[in-house]
Amino acid sequence: MPTEPEEIDLSEHELREITGYAAACASRVLSVFELRAAADTRPREAVDAAWAFAGGGRRTGALRTCAWAAYRAAREAGSTAAGDAARAASHAAAAAYLHPRASAHQVKHILGAAAHAARAEELASEGSSQEGAVSPEGPSGEWAVSAQGPVLEGSPGSAPGTLAWARRNAPPAVMAVLGRLPAAPPGGGRVGELIRALDTALRA
């Protein structure tokens, strides 16, 4: 019979920092979704809810509602890039519900927004003629995509994208809590690969 994962320390301050980090990552690709569905505000509302919690707001049922609404927006997006951008927003709001358990699954709650944002950026770069170009600037004034999609800094011939931004800008709480968790699990397709790449880089 499987045993429950052990509990880990997780402070409210860490939870807010992690949620703010997820919101920052998701914010970078909101334009990818909104270029496709300008009238659909669900992903932006999810990111706004995540920011509100990160800034000291209460963790209410509205956060979970916004997360699910953004997830439904992803399913209805009609574009893979827009769908991943909406999933990044959903993960940002859901990050507030990270469980204090030593489970590899929890790594996805911490890094899911960054990975889906990177995937949205990657897909938008590959199919910009069909899906609209990605905004050249993120919140920090930096936005670049390699021909192969987002990669971590230091890779030969690559330009930094959202994944590299997520590595550079991860707050202390992200590394601290990752250090209490097992490594990211296998599977999950391309998004799973991006989660594992970022997890490995942040633990280095």
Side-chain angles (χ1 to χ4, degrees):
M1 186 173 181
T3 59
E4 283 287 314
E6 293 181 3
E7 283 202 12
I8 63 167
D9 291 332
L10 179 63
S11 71
E12 183 176 301
H13 173 75
E14 288 172 329
L15 192 58
R16 291 186 191 279
E17 271 206 351
I18 288 167
T19 303
Y21 170 70
C25 292
S27 293
R28 291 176 62 85
V29 292
L30 275 174
S31 63
V32 174
F33 179 85
E34 290 172 345
L35 281 169
R36 183 78 182 192
D40 192 339
T41 60
R42 290 174 291 179
R44 184 168 291 277
E45 288 168 1
V47 172
D48 288 345
W51 278 125
F53 173 73
R58 294 175 58 208
R59 188 174 68 173
T60 68
L63 259 173
R64 196 182 297 274
T65 298
C66 285
W68 278 111
Y71 177 75
R72 288 192 293 273
R75 293 173 65 99
E76 299 164 12
S79 148
T80 50
D84 272 294
R87 286 185 178 89
S90 177
H91 273 269
Y97 293 94
L98 175 68
H99 297 300
R101 297 282 183 183
S103 163
H105 178 74
Q106 299 307 313
V107 177
K108 294 191 286 186
H109 282 285
I110 299 173
L111 304 181
H116 278 287
R119 182 58 174 153
E121 183 181 73
E122 186 173 70
L123 289 165
S125 175
E126 291 171 359
S128 59
S129 60
Q130 288 80 32
E131 300 184 11
V134 179
S135 168
E137 269 192 20
S140 65
E142 303 169 65
W143 190 298
V145 185
S146 74
Q148 295 78 33
V151 287
L152 294 175
E153 281 186 304
S155 300
S158 69
T162 287
L163 211 64
W165 185 93
R167 179 186 182 182
R168 290 195 310 270
N169 292 279
V174 168
M175 277 81 80
V177 177
L178 284 175
R180 300 169 202 154
L181 298 174
R190 178 61 177 152
V191 170
E193 291 177 358
L194 294 168
I195 288 174
R196 289 189 293 278
L198 182 56
D199 182 42
T200 299
L202 290 173
R203 292 174 191 263

